[in-house]
Amino acid sequence: MSGRPKIFDDQEVLNKAADVFWRQGYEATSTEDLLEAMGIGKGSFYLAFKGGKKELYEKALALRSDQAMAQFRKELDAADDPVEYIREFFRRIAHSTRAKHQNGCIFGNAVAELSNIENPMMKRAATHLQGLEGLFLDALLRGKQEGTLHSKMEPALLARLLLNNWNGLGITRRIYPDNEALSELIEIQLKILG
Amino acid sequence: MSGRPKIFDDQEVLNKAADVFWRQGYEATSTEDLLEAMGIGKGSFYLAFKGGKKELYEKALALRSDQAMAQFRKELDAADDPVEYIREFFRRIAHSTRAKHQNGCIFGNAVAELSNIENPMMKRAATHLQGLEGLFLDALLRGKQEGTLHSKMEPALLARLLLNNWNGLGITRRIYPDNEALSELIEIQLKILG
DNA sequence: TCTATTTTGTACCAAATAGTACAAAATAAT
DNA sequence: ATTATTTTGTACTATTTGGTACAAAATAGA
């Protein structure tokens, strides 16, 4: 190895870029915005991400997905009661700052914004959300086996329902960015888990 | 009155513009896209809508809101059972084309896209959705009075829940644009109405 | 120290875009 | 027919944008 050393770390700048995309969405974010947030110049950027903004978005989303899934998996595996863990997962939403509420869910945002203008990228975001649904299902199946899930509903359908609740909250929390109100809503929703 | 006659009707072009915005969102839609869809030239456009794209978006959204609310109100008032009408309202989602599924809810889309980049406009879209919640509530209160709503839940909270389900479906229907799957999901959700 | 290699910063470019200016067109009223 | 009025179509402009080119900088290894 030789050559001039890089002044940035790929993961780090991807995370910074992800924050900007999360806040502003894909179209409203200019490469200029991204360069500023990442703290690097055009030369470095286009060398590292030849696909430009699009490649950056895909990688930023994939990174966030990996991080979120890994954390969920880890916490779920460590949880005594997987169903209770799902409850905690949703209750966390009602402990956010207003700024976070306004951002919604980065994957839901991607699905909403890109379904008709960048279908391949939308599909990848959709896959991330299906991954979340899969984790819900894992938790529910384990809950069923261990006896903490009493619902008579089919777990797969219940997982789908939870995904829809999650997707809804990504919008609703922006309309009502109030933790008290959100908490009430979430508790009602969780009643379906029995 | 005198002067050269207009070659277009404001309502008509607003509806055409609304379709484009619905499909593509705000940022991804160029004025060129809009002019083409509306079938008018720049001269006419900027004379009628001095605020340009932004004014057009606001008016298009307001028009769609008025139309949707008026239809809901009319059908609700004509319904024998208001709670059953809500059921029908949700069931309709599962009778859409794939193209419609991909568009989601125009107001939810606006909230998702604009919350951090055009806050005043996002708030107006949020108000439209709160209007829908208000109609849900009206229906539920009437159902309670007439004895067709048996749920012990507070109607206001139930209305909020229905709004969240609606918001969620605006995303979920794009991930699963399959009427069978959506139907299953919707039926489960409606169980909460008793 | 010299060379090969990689990254960086900047200058530059071509395309797209929103918006304006204004003359021509089309009407109603006198 | 003439005038006043309003709309239309187009030519033009200024700005923003994503992206490229390339020389200078900074390293590792010989």
Side-chain angles (χ1 to χ4, degrees):
Chain A
M1 260 198 304
S2 72
R4 183 170 175 169
K6 278 179 95 158
I7 57 168
F8 65 94
D9 174 74
D10 279 37
Q11 289 260 111
E12 270 176 43
V13 301
L14 276 176
N15 266 316
K16 287 173 180 170
D19 283 337
V20 181
F21 281 129
W22 196 2
R23 264 185 53 80
Q24 308 189 337
Y26 180 71
E27 287 286 337
T29 300
S30 67
T31 49
E32 193 43 47
D33 290 337
L34 294 163
L35 293 179
E36 197 181 350
M38 296 188 292
I40 64 178
K42 280 194 171 181
S44 308
F45 172 60
Y46 282 105
L47 184 69
F49 305 96
K50 304 204 196 307
K53 181 168 120 167
K54 202 162 159 179
E55 180 185 345
L56 194 64
Y57 187 75
E58 288 172 359
K59 294 197 167 159
L61 231 66
L63 177 61
R64 282 298 162 93
S65 175
D66 291 346
Q67 290 168 343
M69 298 275 286
Q71 189 189 342
F72 192 109
R73 174 104 269 160
K74 184 181 154 196
E75 292 176 352
L76 173 59
D77 288 348
D80 287 333
D81 178 355
V83 182
E84 186 60 25
Y85 174 67
I86 290 183
R87 291 195 190 91
E88 290 306 322
F89 177 78
F90 276 94
R91 285 175 180 141
R92 268 183 216 166
I93 295 174
H95 295 294
S96 304
T97 62
R98 287 197 158 234
K100 278 287 171 199
H101 287 313
Q102 292 307 325
N103 287 348
C105 165
I106 191 172
F107 307 111
N109 295 354
V111 167
E113 183 180 2
L114 303 174
S115 46
N116 285 308
I117 62 176
E118 287 278 354
N119 198 260
M121 249 155 63
M122 172 273 190
K123 284 201 172 128
R124 256 167 261 171
T127 302
H128 297 321
L129 288 168
Q130 289 172 326
L132 177 62
E133 182 185 354
L135 290 176
F136 286 150
L137 180 56
D138 283 357
L140 294 173
L141 290 174
R142 202 186 121 201
K144 194 128 207 172
Q145 218 167 22
E146 297 176 357
T148 53
L149 177 63
H150 307 297
S151 169
K152 277 164 283 187
M153 252 180 265
E154 202 183 336
L157 200 45
L158 206 44
R160 177 77 41 99
L161 194 100
L162 290 173
L163 177 67
N164 194 64
N165 288 349
W166 172 261
N167 288 335
L169 285 166
I171 304 293
T172 307
R173 67 197 298 195
R174 301 198 248 213
I175 305 175
Y176 298 108
D178 178 276
N179 284 332
E180 277 298 320
L182 288 169
S183 205
E184 258 194 317
L185 172 59
I186 289 165
E187 290 305 324
I188 284 276
Q189 284 180 336
L190 293 176
K191 289 222 197 291
I192 204 151
L193 293 176
Chain B
M1 263 201 300
S2 72
R4 183 170 176 169
K6 278 180 96 158
I7 57 167
F8 65 94
D9 174 74
D10 279 36
Q11 289 258 114
E12 271 177 44
V13 300
L14 277 177
N15 266 317
K16 287 173 180 169
D19 283 338
V20 181
F21 281 128
W22 195 2
R23 264 185 53 79
Q24 308 188 339
Y26 180 72
E27 287 286 337
T29 300
S30 66
T31 49
E32 193 44 47
D33 290 338
L34 294 163
L35 293 179
E36 197 180 352
M38 297 188 291
I40 65 179
K42 281 195 169 180
S44 307
F45 173 60
Y46 281 105
L47 183 69
F49 305 95
K50 304 203 196 306
K53 182 169 120 168
K54 201 162 158 179
E55 180 185 347
L56 195 63
Y57 187 74
E58 287 171 359
K59 293 196 168 160
L61 230 66
L63 178 60
R64 282 299 162 92
S65 175
D66 291 346
Q67 291 168 344
M69 298 274 288
Q71 191 190 339
F72 192 109
R73 174 103 269 160
K74 184 180 154 196
E75 292 176 353
L76 173 60
D77 288 347
D80 288 332
D81 178 355
V83 182
E84 185 60 24
Y85 174 67
I86 289 183
R87 290 195 191 91
E88 290 307 322
F89 177 78
F90 276 94
R91 284 175 180 141
R92 268 184 215 164
I93 295 174
H95 296 294
S96 304
T97 62
R98 285 185 104 85
K100 277 286 171 199
H101 287 314
Q102 292 307 325
N103 287 349
C105 165
I106 191 172
F107 307 111
N109 294 354
V111 167
E113 184 180 2
L114 303 174
S115 46
N116 285 308
I117 62 175
E118 287 279 354
N119 198 261
M121 250 154 64
M122 172 272 191
K123 284 202 172 126
R124 254 168 262 172
T127 301
H128 297 321
L129 288 168
Q130 289 173 327
L132 177 62
E133 182 186 352
L135 290 175
F136 286 149
L137 181 56
D138 283 357
L140 294 173
L141 290 174
R142 200 186 123 202
K144 193 128 208 172
Q145 217 167 22
E146 297 176 356
T148 53
L149 176 63
H150 307 296
S151 169
K152 278 163 284 186
M153 252 178 266
E154 202 183 336
L157 199 46
L158 206 44
R160 177 75 42 98
L161 194 100
L162 290 173
L163 177 67
N164 194 63
N165 287 350
W166 172 261
N167 288 335
L169 284 166
I171 304 293
T172 307
R173 68 197 297 196
R174 302 197 248 214
I175 304 174
Y176 298 108
D178 178 274
N179 283 333
E180 277 297 321
L182 288 169
S183 205
E184 258 194 317
L185 172 59
I186 289 165
E187 291 304 327
I188 284 275
Q189 284 180 336
L190 293 177
K191 289 223 197 289
I192 204 151
L193 293 176

